[in-house]
Amino acid sequence: MNGTDLAQRSVILVTLDSCRYDVAVQAHTPNLDRLGPLVRAESPGTYTLPAHAGLFNGFLPRPVSGPFSINGRHWNMIWRSGAARSTERRVAVPFEGSTLMEHYEHKGYRVVGAGGVTFFDSSDPANSLPALFPEFHYFGRPSRTPVTPATRVVDRDANLTLAYTGPLTDLCLEADRFFLFVNCPSTHIPYTTPDNPLTDRAQKLLEVLYRLHDSQRNTSGHEGLTAEDIGVLLAMQKRALEWADARLGDLFSRLGTRRPLVVVCADHGEEFGEGGRFGHGHPHRTVSTVPLWCGVLDGG
Ligand SMILES: [Zn+2]
Protein backbone atom coordinates (compact mmCIF):
# COMPACT_ATOMS: atom_id res chain seq x y z
CA MET A 1 0.00 0.00 0.00
CA ASN A 2 1.46 3.37 -0.97
CA GLY A 3 0.55 6.98 -0.24
CA THR A 4 -1.19 7.40 -3.60
CA ASP A 5 -3.53 4.57 -2.72
CA LEU A 6 -4.33 6.11 0.66
CA ALA A 7 -4.79 9.55 -0.88
CA GLN A 8 -7.50 8.26 -3.22
CA ARG A 9 -9.53 6.49 -0.57
CA SER A 10 -12.67 7.60 1.15
CA VAL A 11 -12.10 8.62 4.76
CA ILE A 12 -13.77 7.96 8.11
CA LEU A 13 -12.42 10.19 10.90
CA VAL A 14 -13.91 9.68 14.37
CA THR A 15 -13.20 11.44 17.67
CA LEU A 16 -14.19 9.66 20.87
CA ASP A 17 -14.71 12.74 22.98
CA SER A 18 -12.77 12.78 26.30
CA CYS A 19 -11.85 9.07 26.15
CA ARG A 20 -8.89 8.23 28.35
CA TYR A 21 -6.09 6.01 27.03
CA ASP A 22 -6.13 3.74 30.09
CA VAL A 23 -9.88 3.26 29.71
CA ALA A 24 -9.37 2.20 26.08
CA VAL A 25 -6.74 -0.32 27.19
CA GLN A 26 -9.30 -1.93 29.50
CA ALA A 27 -12.25 -1.87 27.10
CA HIS A 28 -13.38 -4.68 24.80
CA THR A 29 -13.25 -3.08 21.33
CA PRO A 30 -13.29 -5.80 18.66
CA ASN A 31 -14.37 -3.45 15.87
CA LEU A 32 -11.71 -0.83 16.58
CA ASP A 33 -9.17 -3.63 16.85
CA ARG A 34 -9.90 -4.52 13.21
CA LEU A 35 -8.13 -1.31 12.23
CA GLY A 36 -4.86 -2.14 13.95
CA PRO A 37 -3.36 -2.07 17.43
CA LEU A 38 -4.40 0.52 19.98
CA VAL A 39 -1.80 3.31 19.93
CA ARG A 40 -0.89 5.58 22.84
CA ALA A 41 -0.79 9.12 21.45
CA GLU A 42 -0.51 12.72 22.66
CA SER A 43 -3.11 15.29 21.67
CA PRO A 44 -2.14 18.84 20.68
CA GLY A 45 -5.20 20.17 22.54
CA THR A 46 -6.55 19.85 26.06
CA TYR A 47 -10.17 20.47 25.10
CA THR A 48 -12.49 20.03 22.14
CA LEU A 49 -11.94 23.29 20.24
CA PRO A 50 -8.12 23.37 19.92
CA ALA A 51 -7.85 19.59 19.56
CA HIS A 52 -10.25 19.58 16.59
CA ALA A 53 -8.80 22.77 15.08
CA GLY A 54 -5.47 20.93 14.95
CA LEU A 55 -7.07 17.74 13.71
CA PHE A 56 -8.85 19.43 10.81
CA ASN A 57 -5.52 21.02 9.83
CA GLY A 58 -3.96 17.56 9.71
CA PHE A 59 -2.43 17.47 13.18
CA LEU A 60 -3.57 14.19 14.66
CA PRO A 61 -2.59 13.16 18.17
CA ARG A 62 1.05 12.05 17.85
CA PRO A 63 1.87 8.41 18.62
CA VAL A 64 4.28 8.16 21.54
CA SER A 65 6.03 5.11 20.14
CA GLY A 66 6.93 6.44 16.67
CA PRO A 67 5.28 6.64 13.24
CA PHE A 68 1.72 5.69 12.33
CA SER A 69 1.50 2.17 10.96
CA ILE A 70 -1.05 1.28 8.29
CA ASN A 71 -0.99 -2.24 6.82
CA GLY A 72 2.73 -2.56 7.52
CA ARG A 73 3.76 0.83 6.12
CA HIS A 74 4.97 3.58 8.43
CA TRP A 75 4.13 7.25 8.14
CA ASN A 76 5.27 10.20 10.26
CA MET A 77 2.01 11.95 9.45
CA ILE A 78 -1.18 10.70 7.83
CA TRP A 79 -2.21 14.15 6.60
CA ARG A 80 -0.09 17.27 6.07
CA SER A 81 -0.91 20.43 4.17
CA GLY A 82 1.05 20.82 0.95
CA ALA A 83 1.11 24.55 1.76
CA ALA A 84 3.21 23.92 4.88
CA ARG A 85 7.00 24.20 4.68
CA SER A 86 8.71 21.27 2.98
CA THR A 87 9.58 18.24 5.09
CA GLU A 88 11.59 15.05 4.86
CA ARG A 89 9.01 13.27 6.95
CA ARG A 90 6.88 10.55 5.37
CA VAL A 91 3.38 11.88 4.73
CA ALA A 92 0.65 9.47 3.62
CA VAL A 93 -1.77 12.05 2.26
CA PRO A 94 -0.49 15.55 1.42
CA PHE A 95 -3.53 17.79 1.17
CA GLU A 96 -4.27 21.11 -0.49
CA GLY A 97 -5.77 24.05 1.35
CA SER A 98 -6.05 24.78 5.04
CA THR A 99 -8.38 22.02 6.16
CA LEU A 100 -8.98 18.38 5.32
CA MET A 101 -12.58 19.21 4.48
CA GLU A 102 -11.59 21.89 1.97
CA HIS A 103 -9.19 19.45 0.32
CA TYR A 104 -11.61 16.56 -0.02
CA GLU A 105 -14.50 18.75 -1.12
CA HIS A 106 -12.27 20.24 -3.83
CA LYS A 107 -11.48 16.69 -5.01
CA GLY A 108 -15.17 15.97 -5.41
CA TYR A 109 -15.72 13.92 -2.25
CA ARG A 110 -19.00 14.10 -0.35
CA VAL A 111 -17.86 15.81 2.88
CA VAL A 112 -20.15 15.09 5.83
CA GLY A 113 -19.65 16.09 9.46
CA ALA A 114 -21.59 15.00 12.54
CA GLY A 115 -21.17 16.01 16.15
CA GLY A 116 -22.56 15.56 19.60
CA VAL A 117 -20.72 17.82 22.07
CA THR A 118 -21.80 21.43 22.25
CA PHE A 119 -18.77 22.85 20.39
CA PHE A 120 -20.40 21.28 17.32
CA ASP A 121 -23.85 22.85 17.73
CA SER A 122 -24.04 24.50 14.31
CA SER A 123 -26.91 26.76 15.43
CA ASP A 124 -24.61 28.51 17.92
CA PRO A 125 -22.92 31.45 16.17
CA ALA A 126 -19.97 31.20 18.58
CA ASN A 127 -19.03 27.77 17.23
CA SER A 128 -16.42 27.77 14.47
CA LEU A 129 -15.91 24.01 13.99
CA PRO A 130 -19.14 22.98 12.20
CA ALA A 131 -18.79 25.94 9.82
CA LEU A 132 -15.67 24.27 8.42
CA PHE A 133 -17.94 21.65 6.80
CA PRO A 134 -20.16 22.09 3.74
CA GLU A 135 -22.67 19.82 5.50
CA PHE A 136 -22.87 19.27 9.26
CA HIS A 137 -25.37 17.39 11.40
CA TYR A 138 -25.58 18.04 15.15
CA PHE A 139 -27.34 15.61 17.48
CA GLY A 140 -26.40 16.88 20.95
CA ARG A 141 -28.25 19.09 23.41
CA PRO A 142 -28.56 22.77 22.38
CA SER A 143 -25.36 24.51 23.48
CA ARG A 144 -27.31 27.38 25.07
CA THR A 145 -29.37 25.06 27.31
CA PRO A 146 -29.07 26.22 30.95
CA VAL A 147 -26.43 24.18 32.76
CA THR A 148 -28.15 22.28 35.59
CA PRO A 149 -27.98 18.68 36.84
CA ALA A 150 -31.36 18.11 35.19
CA THR A 151 -30.02 19.09 31.76
CA ARG A 152 -26.59 17.51 32.09
CA VAL A 153 -26.97 14.30 34.14
CA VAL A 154 -29.31 12.53 31.76
CA ASP A 155 -29.89 9.29 29.95
CA ARG A 156 -28.91 9.60 26.31
CA ASP A 157 -29.92 7.72 23.20
CA ALA A 158 -31.30 9.84 20.36
CA ASN A 159 -28.72 12.58 20.96
CA LEU A 160 -25.71 10.30 20.49
CA THR A 161 -24.15 10.73 17.06
CA LEU A 162 -23.41 7.06 16.51
CA ALA A 163 -27.10 6.24 16.92
CA TYR A 164 -27.40 7.62 13.36
CA THR A 165 -25.06 5.33 11.42
CA GLY A 166 -27.85 4.52 8.93
CA PRO A 167 -28.66 8.03 7.71
CA LEU A 168 -25.04 9.20 7.92
CA THR A 169 -23.75 6.32 5.83
CA ASP A 170 -26.61 6.75 3.33
CA LEU A 171 -25.34 10.30 2.75
CA CYS A 172 -21.82 9.00 2.18
CA LEU A 173 -22.90 6.25 -0.21
CA GLU A 174 -24.65 8.77 -2.47
CA ALA A 175 -21.20 9.78 -3.72
CA ASP A 176 -18.34 7.84 -5.30
CA ARG A 177 -16.00 8.93 -2.52
CA PHE A 178 -16.65 10.48 0.88
CA PHE A 179 -15.00 12.12 3.87
CA LEU A 180 -17.04 11.39 7.00
CA PHE A 181 -16.18 13.01 10.32
CA VAL A 182 -18.01 11.86 13.45
CA ASN A 183 -17.54 13.38 16.90
CA CYS A 184 -18.80 10.76 19.36
CA PRO A 185 -20.08 12.15 22.69
CA SER A 186 -20.81 8.85 24.45
CA THR A 187 -17.40 8.83 26.15
CA HIS A 188 -17.90 12.42 27.38
CA ILE A 189 -19.42 12.98 30.80
CA PRO A 190 -22.21 11.86 31.67
CA TYR A 191 -21.09 8.64 29.86
CA THR A 192 -24.67 7.37 29.50
CA THR A 193 -25.73 5.30 26.50
CA PRO A 194 -28.73 3.11 25.65
CA ASP A 195 -26.70 0.19 27.08
CA ASN A 196 -25.64 2.15 30.16
CA PRO A 197 -28.57 4.04 31.72
CA LEU A 198 -28.31 6.09 34.89
CA THR A 199 -28.56 4.47 38.29
CA ASP A 200 -29.27 6.41 41.49
CA ARG A 201 -25.63 6.08 42.52
CA ALA A 202 -24.33 7.13 39.11
CA GLN A 203 -26.62 10.17 39.15
CA LYS A 204 -25.22 11.36 42.49
CA LEU A 205 -21.62 10.69 41.46
CA LEU A 206 -22.04 12.52 38.17
CA GLU A 207 -23.48 15.58 39.91
CA VAL A 208 -20.39 15.67 42.15
CA LEU A 209 -18.12 15.13 39.16
CA TYR A 210 -19.72 17.99 37.22
CA ARG A 211 -19.13 20.27 40.21
CA LEU A 212 -15.48 19.21 40.32
CA HIS A 213 -15.16 19.82 36.57
CA ASP A 214 -16.73 23.23 36.90
CA SER A 215 -14.50 24.28 39.82
CA GLN A 216 -11.39 24.08 37.57
CA ARG A 217 -9.20 24.08 40.64
CA ASN A 218 -7.09 21.73 42.66
CA THR A 219 -9.02 19.77 45.24
CA SER A 220 -7.98 17.97 48.37
CA GLY A 221 -9.34 14.54 49.18
CA HIS A 222 -11.42 14.68 45.97
CA GLU A 223 -14.22 16.47 47.86
CA GLY A 224 -16.65 13.59 48.15
CA LEU A 225 -15.37 11.13 45.55
CA THR A 226 -13.66 8.03 46.91
CA ALA A 227 -11.33 5.84 44.89
CA GLU A 228 -14.23 3.41 44.53
CA ASP A 229 -16.49 6.21 43.25
CA ILE A 230 -13.87 7.12 40.66
CA GLY A 231 -13.69 3.47 39.65
CA VAL A 232 -17.45 3.48 39.06
CA LEU A 233 -17.19 6.58 36.86
CA LEU A 234 -14.26 5.23 34.85
CA ALA A 235 -16.20 1.99 34.33
CA MET A 236 -19.04 4.10 32.91
CA GLN A 237 -16.65 5.64 30.38
CA LYS A 238 -15.40 2.14 29.51
CA ARG A 239 -18.94 0.92 28.82
CA ALA A 240 -19.59 4.10 26.78
CA LEU A 241 -16.55 3.27 24.64
CA GLU A 242 -17.75 -0.31 24.19
CA TRP A 243 -21.14 1.00 23.05
CA ALA A 244 -19.32 3.28 20.57
CA ASP A 245 -17.27 0.30 19.35
CA ALA A 246 -20.43 -1.68 18.64
CA ARG A 247 -21.93 1.24 16.72
CA LEU A 248 -18.66 1.69 14.81
CA GLY A 249 -18.94 -1.97 13.87
CA ASP A 250 -22.25 -1.11 12.20
CA LEU A 251 -20.69 1.95 10.52
CA PHE A 252 -17.75 -0.10 9.25
CA SER A 253 -20.01 -2.82 7.87
CA ARG A 254 -22.07 -0.25 5.96
CA LEU A 255 -19.03 1.56 4.49
CA GLY A 256 -16.38 -1.18 4.37
CA THR A 257 -16.96 -2.03 0.71
CA ARG A 258 -15.61 1.44 -0.17
CA ARG A 259 -12.30 0.44 1.48
CA PRO A 260 -11.93 3.70 3.42
CA LEU A 261 -8.96 4.98 5.37
CA VAL A 262 -10.12 5.12 9.00
CA VAL A 263 -8.69 7.09 11.91
CA VAL A 264 -10.32 6.93 15.34
CA CYS A 265 -8.89 8.83 18.30
CA ALA A 266 -9.86 10.81 21.35
CA ASP A 267 -9.61 14.58 21.06
CA HIS A 268 -8.28 14.74 24.64
CA GLY A 269 -8.52 12.66 27.78
CA GLU A 270 -9.77 13.50 31.23
CA GLU A 271 -8.26 13.83 34.69
CA PHE A 272 -9.86 12.09 37.66
CA GLY A 273 -7.93 13.75 40.47
CA GLU A 274 -4.51 12.24 39.72
CA GLY A 275 -2.96 15.71 39.81
CA GLY A 276 -5.65 17.25 42.02
CA ARG A 277 -8.08 18.33 39.30
CA PHE A 278 -10.99 16.80 37.40
CA GLY A 279 -12.07 17.10 33.77
CA HIS A 280 -10.07 18.55 30.90
CA GLY A 281 -8.97 21.90 29.50
CA HIS A 282 -5.78 21.91 31.56
CA PRO A 283 -2.39 20.29 31.01
CA HIS A 284 -2.02 16.91 32.71
CA ARG A 285 -0.78 13.62 31.28
CA THR A 286 -4.24 12.04 31.71
CA VAL A 287 -5.67 14.85 29.56
CA SER A 288 -3.03 14.85 26.83
CA THR A 289 -2.63 11.04 26.55
CA VAL A 290 -5.25 9.59 24.21
CA PRO A 291 -6.09 6.36 22.38
CA LEU A 292 -5.73 6.15 18.60
CA TRP A 293 -6.45 3.47 16.02
CA CYS A 294 -5.79 3.76 12.28
CA GLY A 295 -6.08 1.44 9.34
CA VAL A 296 -8.04 0.65 6.23
CA LEU A 297 -11.20 -1.35 5.77
CA ASP A 298 -10.74 -3.73 2.87
CA GLY A 299 -14.00 -5.13 1.73
CA GLY A 300 -15.82 -4.73 5.02
ZN1 LIG B 1 -13.67 17.11 23.61
Side-chain angles (χ1 to χ4, degrees):
M1 178 175 301
N2 57 39
T4 303
D5 176 56
L6 290 176
Q8 302 306 320
R9 289 189 180 233
S10 291
V11 176
I12 301 171
L13 175 60
V14 178
T15 53
L16 301 164
D17 212 290
S18 309
C19 187
R20 284 171 58 120
Y21 174 75
D22 58 356
V23 166
V25 169
Q26 306 253 333
H28 179 58
T29 55
N31 294 295
L32 285 164
D33 295 343
R34 285 172 57 193
L35 301 173
L38 167 62
V39 173
R40 178 187 180 117
E42 291 176 336
S43 175
T46 62
Y47 68 104
T48 304
L49 176 60
H52 284 86
L55 195 66
F56 295 151
N57 194 226
F59 292 95
L60 291 172
R62 184 184 298 169
V64 172
S65 56
F68 295 94
S69 176
I70 300 176
N71 278 16
R73 290 288 304 272
H74 300 294
W75 309 95
N76 297 107
M77 299 182 77
I78 295 179
W79 288 287
R80 190 173 197 273
S81 174
R85 68 180 185 275
S86 62
T87 181
E88 298 296 314
R89 308 179 80 199
R90 285 166 300 179
V91 178
V93 184
F95 69 92
E96 302 301 320
S98 60
T99 68
L100 300 177
M101 294 75 79
E102 187 180 325
H103 168 74
Y104 285 108
E105 186 181 20
H106 184 71
K107 283 173 61 97
Y109 283 50
R110 179 82 181 259
V111 174
V112 177
V117 305
T118 53
F119 275 108
F120 289 102
D121 182 353
S122 45
S123 71
D124 186 333
N127 282 341
S128 60
L129 295 175
L132 298 172
F133 288 78
E135 176 180 356
F136 200 88
H137 304 270
Y138 179 66
F139 300 100
R141 66 177 171 83
S143 62
R144 301 297 176 101
T145 302
V147 174
T148 67
T151 58
R152 297 199 295 187
V153 184
V154 291
D155 281 318
R156 298 180 298 179
D157 44 39
N159 54 358
L160 292 176
T161 321
L162 285 174
Y164 296 90
T165 49
L168 288 173
T169 55
D170 285 349
L171 293 173
C172 294
L173 294 171
E174 287 173 1
D176 290 335
R177 292 184 293 178
F178 61 83
F179 173 91
L180 173 64
F181 164 73
V182 179
N183 164 255
C184 168
S186 73
T187 44
H188 188 284
I189 185 174
Y191 318 119
T192 47
T193 69
D195 294 344
N196 193 26
L198 281 174
T199 62
D200 289 345
R201 182 181 186 191
Q203 177 132 16
K204 290 185 177 69
L205 294 180
L206 286 163
E207 289 178 14
V208 174
L209 186 61
Y210 267 118
R211 282 201 295 277
L212 291 167
H213 278 214
D214 293 345
S215 75
Q216 298 184 348
R217 61 182 173 81
N218 275 37
T219 59
S220 59
H222 298 165
E223 297 188 4
L225 285 183
T226 65
E228 184 188 347
D229 293 336
I230 290 171
V232 169
L233 292 162
L234 287 171
M236 289 186 72
Q237 190 181 65
K238 173 172 164 282
R239 289 196 294 275
L241 172 58
E242 290 172 345
W243 177 85
D245 178 79
R247 297 305 306 154
L248 285 170
D250 181 67
L251 187 85
F252 294 166
S253 69
R254 291 171 185 270
L255 297 178
T257 53
R258 298 294 184 89
R259 306 172 67 237
L261 166 65
V262 184
V263 176
V264 181
C265 61
D267 54 345
H268 51 79
E270 199 149 77
E271 185 184 343
F272 275 80
E274 291 89 343
R277 286 186 279 185
F278 287 79
H280 51 267
H282 60 271
H284 188 269
R285 61 179 169 75
T286 56
V287 177
S288 59
T289 307
V290 297
L292 182 145
W293 298 260
C294 61
V296 293
L297 295 177
D298 280 306

